[in-house]
């Protein structure tokens, strides 16, 4: 399962790191997160021809920010098409955050759209995370295939 905040890193892939942190800051970007996840699956015996995807998210939950969710949706759909990985199901876009529960043994995913937020906790967390990302260097160890 991947969760990324931004579709692409703008540093052109020239980054370093020791690779000790599997969930490194590099995986905050879709292009690195997808490569990382697929490579880990292949490293553990998975076969690319057996990969399938379920895609959730990309909601524009913060009106005053750019629509990064739409960019993430476009990115992941194009990425999966290029890699010839079929999308079995999706629930993307709109304005609602989602809660996703995934059962890896069966591949079943449950998605709940959160219709009403009674406080601004989620928006505060997403805003703080976005600000934190802007000040952290991209680092990690990803092997591109």
């Amino acid at each position: 399962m991947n969760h990324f905040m931004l579709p692409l890193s703008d540093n052109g892939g020239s980054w370093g790191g020791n690779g000790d942190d599997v969930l490194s800051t590099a995986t905050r970007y879709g292009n690195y997160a997808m490569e990382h996840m697929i490579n880990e699956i292949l490293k553990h015996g998975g076969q690319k021809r057996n990969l399938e995807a379920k895609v959730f998210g990309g909601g524009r939950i913060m009106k005053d920010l750019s629509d990064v969710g739409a960019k993430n949706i476009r990115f992941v759909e194009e990425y999966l098409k290029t890699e010839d990985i079929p999308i079995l199901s999706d629930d993307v876009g709109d304005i609602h955050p989602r809660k996703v529960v995934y059962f890896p043994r069966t591949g079943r995913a449950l998605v709940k759209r959160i219709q009403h937020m009674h406080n601004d906790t989620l928006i505060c967390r997403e805003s703080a995370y976005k600000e934190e990302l802007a000040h952290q260097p991209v680092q990690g160890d990803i092997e591109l295939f």
Side-chain angles (χ1 to χ4, degrees):
M1 179 182 268
N2 263 344
H3 177 262
F4 52 86
M5 179 84 168
L6 304 167
L8 300 167
S9 168
D10 61 358
N11 83 355
S14 58
W15 43 272
N18 62 14
D20 290 337
D21 182 5
V22 173
L23 299 175
S24 71
T25 55
T27 58
R28 68 182 172 223
Y29 296 106
N31 56 335
Y32 292 117
M34 293 300 294
E35 293 290 341
H36 181 76
M37 181 176 67
I38 291 170
N39 283 325
E40 285 296 307
I41 291 169
L42 298 178
K43 186 168 76 174
H44 288 91
Q47 296 181 355
K48 192 167 179 203
R49 69 175 184 265
N50 294 331
L51 297 181
E52 303 168 330
K54 295 182 180 184
V55 180
F56 309 105
R60 187 173 187 175
I61 60 172
M62 295 182 278
K63 303 180 255 196
D64 55 338
L65 297 177
S66 69
D67 196 355
V68 71
K71 293 174 187 173
N72 283 341
I73 294 166
R74 263 192 317 277
F75 162 77
V76 78
E77 289 174 345
E78 289 172 14
Y79 182 94
L80 293 169
K81 183 178 180 180
T82 299
E83 294 297 325
D84 200 26
I85 298 172
I87 298 174
L88 298 185
S89 63
D90 66 357
D91 183 6
V92 296
D94 207 350
I95 60 169
H96 304 291
R98 291 161 175 83
K99 178 179 181 175
V100 178
V101 179
Y102 179 66
F103 301 90
R105 199 173 287 265
T106 64
R108 184 174 182 212
L110 302 175
V111 180
K112 178 179 181 179
R113 287 184 176 200
I114 301 170
Q115 300 293 327
H116 303 285
M117 293 187 293
H118 297 288
N119 61 41
D120 63 353
T121 301
L122 181 61
I123 292 172
C124 289
R125 285 182 185 166
E126 290 289 325
S127 296
Y129 183 56
K130 183 176 186 276
E131 182 66 26
E132 180 184 328
L133 293 179
H135 299 345
Q136 289 182 2
V138 177
Q139 58 186 3
D141 190 17
I142 305 293
E143 177 183 334
L144 301 177
F145 60 89

